[in-house]
Amino acid sequence: MKSLYDVQQLLEKYGVLVHVGKRIWDIELMAIELDNIRRAGVLDEHTYMIAKLILQREHEAEERKEKEPKKHST
């Protein structure tokens, strides 16, 4: 598992489909759902931790994008 898409595929195996409409919100909801699946005891710790790290990396990247000044084309 290396990408956000891989985490989406993992969640889909458990019947969780996430599409809120804004990428950062999707990532946040995926993290919550991942926590719920782990708490239910159906996901091993290693897979959980890898997925959480991917979500954290993607969330931080989205936050950086949002903070970048918008370039206006004229």
Side-chain angles (χ1 to χ4, degrees), residues 8-23:
Q8 288 174 313
Q9 294 302 301
L10 174 67
L11 290 172
E12 196 171 313
K13 286 182 189 177
Y14 296 99
V16 177
L17 301 172
V18 174
H19 182 71
V20 179
K22 189 172 180 182
R23 192 165 193 264

Side-chain angles (χ1 to χ4, degrees), residues 10-68:
L10 174 67
L11 290 172
E12 196 171 313
K13 286 182 189 177
Y14 296 99
V16 177
L17 301 172
V18 174
H19 182 71
V20 179
K22 189 172 180 182
R23 192 165 193 264
I24 198 163
W25 297 342
D26 289 347
I27 293 165
E28 291 169 359
L29 185 54
M30 281 188 254
I32 292 167
E33 292 295 347
L34 192 64
D35 292 344
N36 290 336
I37 292 168
R38 178 66 186 132
R39 236 179 275 118
V42 294
L43 188 62
D44 67 275
E45 186 70 18
H46 177 76
T47 304
Y48 170 77
M49 291 305 295
I50 297 295
K52 286 294 277 193
L53 287 171
I54 291 168
L55 291 174
Q56 181 181 1
R57 179 189 69 207
E58 293 297 323
H59 193 275
E60 289 170 358
E62 284 301 309
E63 285 181 325
R64 279 192 303 275
K65 275 192 219 174
E66 286 183 359
K67 289 180 182 175
E68 286 179 3

